[in-house]
Amino acid sequence: MVKSFLLLVFCFASFNLNAQDLEDLDSLLVDRDIENYSLRIFSNFKVNKFSVSDGDSKAKFVPNNRYGLGLGFANKKIILDIAVNIKNPNKEKTSRFDLQGSTVLKDKNFVKIYTQVYRGFNAKNDFDEPTVFRNDIRSVSVGINYLYTLDDIEFSYSLLKAGLPNKNYENIFITGGAGVFGSFDYFSGKPSILSETTRPFFNEQGDVRRYKGLSFGVLAGIISYFKLPENITATVNVMPGIGLIDKKITLQDGSFEPANPMLYKLDFLIGLSYNLNPFYVSFTYSNGLNSTDIDFGNNYLLNLTKAKLAIGYKFNKKH
């Protein structure tokens, strides 16, 4: 399933590339105005957490070392930030590879891609059993979102993330769109994700050893932009979706494929930016929720959270 999904992503990217000539590609990726460029320092928060629940109990799995510090640069076309993960010497280490990116192509095409590989989770619960760090628990999440909007949206992202001014839009702007998404999700534990003390709170089918799910679906979106007093701008973006998922559950003794093929998705982003030329401060918070029924009264929820606080310095043309 992973190979099939990665092949689909590659074909999608190749289609978008081959559909443009070199001049279009240059205008798509290259920003020639030096005033649109900035250097930035930032702090971020990234977490890939998931849970398995029934009507009465919930087991949650949350990673450690969720914060990072880094440097980057930004312009109207692209933002490149590189962070170093901050590790707490008093906590167990979560090993991770976490790559997330989003862009707006040709003003109306919003694309988001993410790849997250985590190993080592705090196993929590809502029935008063002690929290235990489990180094054997792994999670892999790979996905792509595509949204085509009715109106140009490039300004909302460049303003908030790169601190760029724009005087061509009204104080309040709201538009909508529709698109598609695809994702692959995986988690596993040895011998299962539940411990001996938490296993009695779930039925036999809730004691999952390994989960795999490949999903495709459609989504809609509302993207809004607000000009506030004192050079402050804000955005609120909401993208719900629904899709079909092919999933397989492996238990300690046997396996099964859940009958319910539905996946429900909700992505949202809020952001604020303050401009004080040549400096700017921006804050964004986004969350992606993916929920599906895994039969026998059990449910799986994946929660992808990202927050970033950036301080940037914008270049000016030399006269």
Side-chain angles (χ1 to χ4, degrees):
M1 288 194 297
V2 179
K3 291 181 180 179
S4 300
F5 180 76
L6 293 178
L7 179 61
L8 179 66
V9 172
F10 175 78
C11 292
F12 178 84
S14 298
F15 172 79
N16 280 278
L17 179 60
N18 294 331
Q20 303 168 67
D21 58 28
L22 293 178
E23 183 177 352
D24 289 337
L25 185 62
D26 180 75
S27 64
L28 183 70
L29 299 178
V30 179
D31 190 340
R32 302 187 183 281
D33 189 348
I34 190 64
E35 290 188 341
N36 288 340
Y37 282 78
S38 65
L39 292 176
R40 45 202 268 133
I41 59 174
F42 66 91
S43 174
N44 66 7
F45 171 90
K46 288 184 179 182
V47 61
N48 173 324
K49 59 184 178 181
F50 65 95
S51 66
V52 174
S53 62
D54 58 20
D56 301 315
S57 305
K58 177 184 288 187
K60 300 175 289 186
F61 303 91
V62 182
N64 282 332
N65 46 284
R66 291 167 281 179
Y67 298 91
L69 290 173
L71 299 172
F73 80 91
N75 60 36
K76 190 176 181 180
K77 303 292 184 180
I78 191 172
I79 295 175
L80 179 61
D81 290 335
I82 300 177
V84 176
N85 194 234
I86 300 176
K87 300 176 178 63
N88 188 335
N90 299 319
K91 291 185 177 181
E92 298 281 355
K93 175 186 174 183
T94 295
S95 300
R96 64 170 65 200
F97 174 80
D98 195 323
L99 178 63
Q100 303 180 45
S102 63
T103 188
V104 177
L105 305 177
K106 293 295 185 180
D107 297 331
K108 294 184 178 182
N109 302 276
F110 170 82
V111 181
K112 175 184 177 181
I113 298 177
Y114 61 88
T115 300
Q116 297 175 295
V117 182
Y118 282 57
R119 178 174 180 177
F121 287 80
N122 291 303
K124 301 182 177 182
N125 56 78
D126 63 354
F127 37 86
D128 298 328
E129 289 295 326
T131 297
V132 179
F133 184 81
R134 296 276 303 275
N135 190 56
D136 60 290
I137 294 180
R138 298 179 65 237
S139 172
V140 178
S141 302
V142 182
I144 181 170
N145 291 357
Y146 168 77
L147 185 78
Y148 179 81
T149 59
L150 299 175
D151 302 287
D152 294 356
I153 60 170
E154 185 178 42
F155 69 92
S156 67
Y157 286 86
S158 63
L159 277 169
L160 282 156
K161 295 186 175 183
L164 297 177
N166 197 311
K167 301 179 180 179
N168 297 327
Y169 294 91
E170 299 178 356
N171 291 338
I172 299 177
F173 177 87
I174 300 175
T175 190
V180 295
F181 71 88
S183 65
F184 171 79
D185 293 330
Y186 167 95
F187 68 81
S188 66
K190 297 180 180 179
S192 72
I193 62 170
L194 300 180
S195 65
E196 293 183 0
T197 58
T198 60
R199 194 171 297 127
F201 292 88
F202 291 85
N203 55 34
E204 180 182 351
Q205 292 76 17
D207 188 22
V208 180
R209 179 181 180 184
R210 183 167 57 247
Y211 167 89
K212 294 180 180 179
L214 180 65
S215 64
F216 298 95
V218 296
L219 53 82
I222 295 177
I223 294 179
S224 62
Y225 159 77
F226 308 91
K227 285 184 179 180
L228 304 177
E230 304 298 333
N231 294 320
I232 298 174
T233 57
T235 188
V236 178
N237 306 330
V238 182
M239 299 180 190
I242 186 170
L244 300 177
I245 179 169
D246 178 24
K247 48 197 170 183
K248 181 177 181 180
I249 304 291
T250 301
L251 307 175
Q252 294 191 57
D253 184 15
S255 63
F256 68 95
E257 296 183 2
N260 189 334
M262 303 307 297
L263 175 82
Y264 302 97
K265 178 182 182 66
L266 176 62
D267 288 4
F268 67 87
L269 178 145
I270 59 174
L272 288 171
S273 178
Y274 174 66
N275 277 278
L276 183 63
N277 198 41
F279 297 96
Y280 66 90
V281 179
S282 68
F283 173 78
T284 55
Y285 175 86
S286 61
N287 206 327
L289 302 173
N290 298 270
S291 177
T292 188
D293 184 343
I294 55 176
D295 280 0
F296 302 98
N298 300 311
N299 293 278
Y300 165 60
L301 176 66
L302 175 67
N303 187 331
L304 308 177
T305 302
K306 179 181 178 181
K308 179 180 289 186
L309 176 65
I311 300 175
Y313 174 81
K314 293 175 286 186
F315 295 106
N316 291 317
K317 290 181 179 179
K318 294 181 179 180
H319 298 284

